[in-house]
Each structure stands twice: as structure tokens, then as C-alpha cells.
Amino acid sequence: MSNTATLIDNLKAEFQLEGNSALKSIKQTAWNTFETLGFPTVKNEEFKYTNFIPATKSNFTLQAKNSISLADFNSIELVKEEANVLVFVNGIFNTKLSNIISSKEEVYIATLAEALTDSKEEALITQHFAQYSNNISDAFTALSTALAKDGVYIHVAPNKVVSKPIVLYFIADTYTEEVFSQPRNLFIFDKNSQATIVESFTSFGNKVSFNNIVTEITVAKDAIIDYYKIQNENEKAYHVGTTQVNQKGNSVFNAVTVTLNGAIVRNNLNVVLDEEHVEANLFGLFLPSGNTHVDNHTIVDHAKPHCNSNELYKGVLDGKSTGVFNGKIFVRKDAQKTNAFQSNKSILLSDEATINTKPQLEIFADDVKCSHGATSGQLDAESLFYLRSRGLSEKSAKAMLVYAFASDVLSNIKIESLKLNLEHKIAEKLAVN
Amino acid sequence: MLSIKNLKASIGDKEILKGLSLDIKPGEVHAIMGPNGAGKSTLSSVLAGRSDYEVTGGSVEFLGKDLLEMSPEDRAREGVFLAFQYPIEIPGVSTTNFLKTAINEIRKHRGQDNLDAVSFLKMMKEKMKTVEIDQSLLSRSLNEGFSGGEKKRNEVFQMAMLEPKLAILDETDSGLDIDALRIVANGVNALRGKDNSFIVITHYQRLLDYIVPDFVHVLYNGKIVKSGTKELALELEEKGYDWIKEENKEAV
């Protein structure tokens, strides 16, 4: 057992100022912020229910080995269709398991480190890096910014449609050590471009892993982006994931976050609707069980008029698991004619599972349509009886009702094999078939 | 096939079935009639295994086995089917979807192999014709946005698919117009055979013009107080239930 201060010391030893002077200055400021803030405790309102302090006491290595085999990778592959595949093991890019098939004309895909060696991309990175994420009061994001070394850089030029999905696998390899990794992604979608991105998180081995990942996404005018985040790590995996999105006029951003497993998972999905006629759709499904904990924090920031946001998060909680949904919606003074909808529905499969839901709407404009709703309850007893009276076992009946409950989230996933794969994993999780 | 002896059942503190006895042989159709609150729906719920009811006495034997000991799914697998009085809506679950699972779980229980997709579809088509139900309805969320008649036809369709040995129709005729009633009755009659039995619970004699029963029983105050043939149903239609109530007041 180590302690939190040791981890901070070790992180400090990793901290080096690299890159151009602008990036250096951003990183230095971010490090100073992290040192001042430290890891958040439960006294921090944003982390009231989600405590990572015990996890920071693990004996982490920051330079982990990589022993993931092709067989390991095949066992977790999510997408059967032809796709661009980038694999990171403990935060380090794995060339062997990766395969980029789209042409350079269609999309520029590289590791962040590699992209920085290209002067054209470096200029873009400097322009966008850490410009959207919260590096002032969010310690995890500041830490990521300060220590950002590698991750995925995607740049789609104007009017380009990336026909093949881009699937990013972040694998924690804890076969030999406790690992702490911080991949850092930056996606730049130029005007009228289209792309589908998948971020997958899995873990191997039975030691503790900690993933602090930040993905920044900028979506220019008229671009249409699908973004799927799939988490299926083990019961010793701690995850803080922040996805920060900035959308310009007429763009559409669709996000689906599916959390199947993980010890303590915290997802921050923050979207700024930064010009008029923007549409953002945020869907989430989380299925904690045992003693695990899943916390989804979202911020939808309506900064400009005539924008639509639609948010639906569903939880299925079993065992002694706990869930948190915190959904903030800001409607700024200028953002007239805003439509913002939010809904969080949960099913508790056990008496010992808990969900904490907190919608937070702050509306400063007067001509808006906003609504929010939250429900939690058990599976409908009458529906269960109906299905059982037709010969379905209690387990099958429950699984069927859980699928049905989850289906309006999963139906937003447009990669067919991914959707089927998730349905299969959910079935496995509910111990049927 | 079914032997109910002195069955007593309560919901909460209230005793609803107060010693009901009924014997049904293979191939027979029994109609159970009675005024509101007599215990008709309680009987069907207890037979199907709804947990809201507590059986406080008596026994139910189905094909030589103790029915009351079985879970609802095992009753279905052994061949009991309940057509619900108020079929529920289940968003996101289609009839096709759950019937396929149901049929295969029933087959597994009986030591049979899974039904392959082609045979399942063939069976569906055949049964759809009998109850005049459309494929599109069966692919939609169960009963969501269905009319009353469509819901009842869906119940009869499921019955046809599951081919039960004992089917209990709980006021399947309520709220049906004459055309829907005819369709539902055709579905039931198509399934009638020397090995299948039916309990038809109804308020009105009308359904019995289409599904002609072998026996008619009057359920009143938790007991069967009168049994007869189909003529009894006509008598009830004509005279109402008051004379039954009167007769039993004297008996009490």
C-alpha cells in the first residue's frame, strides 16, 4: 500500500515540459492547478458520491509493461465491420495491434505525439489543446493536460466523410503491475465533415488500474459526429473519463455511453452548444452490479439561440452497486428558443442497489422549452408475471424486460455489430443464454 | 386433467375463494359464470400462479401433479395457459420476440430440441391465419397501441402458438364487438380436441353461442353454487344472477 502523496510525487517526476512554448505554458499552468487542487475528496460537491482517494493509494507504476497478446485483443474486439483500429495499452500506443485503413485524404489519424511532429497539425493542436476542457477547477483534467504525452489525434478536413468507423481501444494491462495511465485525445472535425468514433475501455489481469482520460472534440459548422464510449473494465479498474465537446452552427453530435463494468467509473460528458441551430443527443446506459459504482456527470451548455439538446440516461443496478446521474443544463441569457430535454430512468434489480439522481437546470433566457425527469423503480411485477405465465423463466423474463428498457439507448448505436455485441454482453451479464 | 378440491384463497385479509371444487376431463369445455366479485378472476389468477393471492386451503391437481407447488413458468411448461382479462403492454418486447423464447423454454422443459427459425415462422403464419392477426402487430411492442380487440386476439394467438392442454380464458369476450368475438371463438374452436380442455370465464352468455361449453358453472361468493349444461347459461342470461343470490342467501 502506498499513499496519495506518493502518487502525486511520482506524477510530478513524470511532469516534463515538452513541445512548443504555447503548449509548455498551458501544461505548466495545468500542473500548478493540479498541485493546488489535489485529487478531489468527497467534500468536493462534484465528487460527493464518488470517492477516488482510496484508489490513489495503490502502488501504481507509471511506466507499465505491455503483455497484451493478439488473442487478448481479439477477445475484446467490439466492431466486426471494417474499421480503423488504434490500440493503447496502459496509455502507450501499440502499433502491432493497430490498423489504420482510411486514406490520409479522408482523415488524418495519428497519435498525438506523432501529430505534433507535423507542423500543420501542430498548429491546430496548439490552437485547440486544452481550450475547451475545464483546467481551472477540475483536478483530473488539469492533471491530464499537464502530463499529456500520448493519445489519439483525429483531424477530418472540411467536407470529408470518414466512411469507416474509428475504433480506439484503451486497454489496462495489470497482469504484473498496478497501472495508472492518462491517454489524451483531441478530435478536430472541420466544417461539413462526418465521422463515427468508438472509445472502448477494457482491462486484463487482476491488479488495480486507474485511467484518467480526457477527450476534447471540436465540431465545426454542419459536421455530424457519432461518438460511442463503451466501458467494460474489471472490478479493480478505476476510471475518470472526461469528454469535452464544442459544437458550432448546425452541427450534430450524438453520444452513446455504455458502462458495463468497472470498480468506480466517473464519466464527465460536457457539451457546449456554441453557435445557433446546434443539435446534441446524449444517451447513456449503465449496468453496475456487485460493489461497483458508476457516476455520469453531464453538462449541456446552451450558449446560443435555436439549439436542441436531448438527453436520456438509463441505469440497471444490481447487487450493492451504486449509480449517480448528475445532469446540468445551462441556458445562457442569449440562448432564446432553446429546446433542452433530459431524462434519467433507473431500474433497481436488488434491494441493496442505490441511485442518486440530480438534475440541475440553470436557465437565464425566457423563451425556452426545457424539461427534466427522473424515475427509479423495480421491474414491473405484472410484466414479469405475464412473461413467466408464457413459460419464460424468471431470469429470461427479467433479461427481456431489461433489454426492452435499454433498447431506446442502444438503438442509437448505428454500428450494427457493436450493438449486437453489447446486447450479447448485457445478456451475459444478466446470466442468461 | 384438472381436479380442484375445496380451494380457498385470499388476497390480504380477504378470503375470496371459499372452498371451490371443480373437475375437468380431457376434451371438455367448462364455462364459469357469475356476478362481479364472485371470485372468477381470482380463480384464474390462482391457477396461473399469480403471487398476489395466498392459497389457504384445498388442492389443485393438474395431470397428476400438484399445480400449486409450481412456479408460473412451470405451469405454462406443463401446459396451462391463461388468456389475460386485461392484457398488459410491454414496451420494447414484441410478441414474436418473447414467444420464440417461450416456445423454446417450453420445448426444453419437455426434452425437445429448439424450434428452428423456419419452423417457427411457418407455425406463426399458420396460427396468424386462424386468429386473423397481422404480422406487423406481432413485431410491435406487445399490446402497445393495440385496440381492445387486437389485444384479445393476440392472447388467443399466443394460446394457439403454445398449444396448451388447459387454456383459461378470463373474460376474453369483454369489450369485444361481434366480429372480434367470432374471430376469438374461431381461434379457440380450432384448438379444441379430445386432449385439450378449456375454462371459459365470462359474464355473458353471448360468447357461449360461439364456444359451446360441455358444462356451465355458476360461481358465487367464492364457491360453485350451481352446475349444468349450456341451457343454464341461457337461463342466467334471461333471469340474471339475482335468483342465484336469493337461493344462496337461503342456504346461508
Side-chain angles (χ1 to χ4, degrees), chain A residues 154-192:
Chain A
I154 298 169
H155 176 205
V156 184
N159 307 315
K160 296 289 180 195
V161 175
V162 186
S163 55
K164 306 275 187 281
I166 303 167
V167 189
L168 316 177
Y169 292 91
F170 297 96
I171 302 170
D173 169 2
T174 73
Y175 282 126
T176 53
E177 291 160 300
E178 300 187 324
V179 297
F180 188 99
S181 54
Q182 301 199 82
R184 175 72 176 226
N185 303 331
L186 175 62
F187 308 155
I188 298 169
F189 300 110
D190 286 344
K191 70 173 198 277
N192 199 31

Side-chain angles (χ1 to χ4, degrees), chain A residues 117-222:
Chain A
T117 63
D118 181 320
S119 63
K120 241 168 53 192
E121 304 301 335
E122 187 203 8
L124 274 173
I125 294 167
T126 311
Q127 186 192 330
H128 293 289
F129 179 76
Q131 294 311 298
Y132 310 105
S133 54
N134 174 2
N135 290 284
I136 294 163
S137 62
D138 183 336
F140 282 109
T141 298
L143 177 63
S144 160
T145 300
L147 269 72
K149 262 209 182 97
D150 217 350
V152 179
Y153 175 74
I154 298 169
H155 176 205
V156 184
N159 307 315
K160 296 289 180 195
V161 175
V162 186
S163 55
K164 306 275 187 281
I166 303 167
V167 189
L168 316 177
Y169 292 91
F170 297 96
I171 302 170
D173 169 2
T174 73
Y175 282 126
T176 53
E177 291 160 300
E178 300 187 324
V179 297
F180 188 99
S181 54
Q182 301 199 82
R184 175 72 176 226
N185 303 331
L186 175 62
F187 308 155
I188 298 169
F189 300 110
D190 286 344
K191 70 173 198 277
N192 199 31
S193 65
Q194 288 184 31
T196 302
I197 316 289
V198 183
E199 286 183 357
S200 155
F201 297 89
T202 46
S203 53
F204 287 95
N206 49 25
K207 294 192 163 62
V208 173
S209 63
F210 200 116
N211 212 334
N212 176 34
I213 178 164
V214 174
T215 298
E216 287 177 291
I217 304 175
T218 164
V219 185
K221 234 175 134 230
D222 298 313

Side-chain angles (χ1 to χ4, degrees), chain A residues 347-408:
Chain A
I347 285 180
L348 303 170
L349 295 176
S350 115
D351 293 341
E352 292 173 295
T354 318
I355 176 85
N356 293 294
T357 299
K358 188 178 175 190
Q360 259 177 284
L361 276 63
E362 293 182 28
I363 301 168
F364 302 101
D366 48 26
D367 186 9
V368 302
K369 275 188 202 150
C370 293
S371 73
H372 69 88
T375 58
S376 72
Q378 279 134 5
L379 284 177
D380 181 46
E382 191 60 25
S383 302
L384 265 179
F385 175 68
Y386 189 94
L387 294 175
R388 291 177 72 192
S389 80
R390 299 308 183 236
L392 268 73
S393 68
E394 194 174 353
K395 256 186 186 168
S396 301
K398 275 186 178 169
M400 200 163 270
L401 294 175
V402 168
Y403 281 151
F405 176 75
S407 66
D408 52 357

Side-chain angles (χ1 to χ4, degrees), chain B residues 195-212:
Chain B
D195 299 322
N196 305 72
S197 307
F198 291 85
I199 296 176
V200 181
I201 294 173
T202 180
H203 232 17
Y204 305 105
Q205 187 272 336
R206 201 179 54 167
L207 176 67
L208 306 179
D209 285 342
Y210 297 91
I211 305 173
V212 181

Side-chain angles (χ1 to χ4, degrees), chain A residues 262-336:
Chain A
I264 296 182
V265 175
R266 165 64 172 263
N267 294 316
N268 303 305
L269 175 55
N270 307 328
V271 183
V272 181
L273 292 73
D274 210 11
E275 282 181 8
E276 294 192 19
H277 300 290
V278 163
E279 181 182 324
N281 299 303
L282 279 52
F283 296 95
L285 174 66
F286 49 103
L287 304 105
S289 56
N291 287 305
T292 64
H293 175 88
V294 178
D295 173 351
N296 280 296
H297 266 60
T298 64
I299 301 174
V300 176
D301 187 350
H302 282 265
K304 293 283 152 54
H306 298 288
C307 292
N308 294 319
S309 68
N310 177 30
E311 190 172 5
L312 174 66
Y313 270 73
K314 287 192 158 184
V316 179
L317 299 96
D318 204 353
K320 294 180 180 171
S321 69
T322 47
V324 177
F325 175 77
N326 184 300
K328 291 191 183 76
I329 297 176
F330 297 121
V331 181
R332 306 288 175 188
K333 212 173 115 210
D334 291 342
Q336 300 295 358

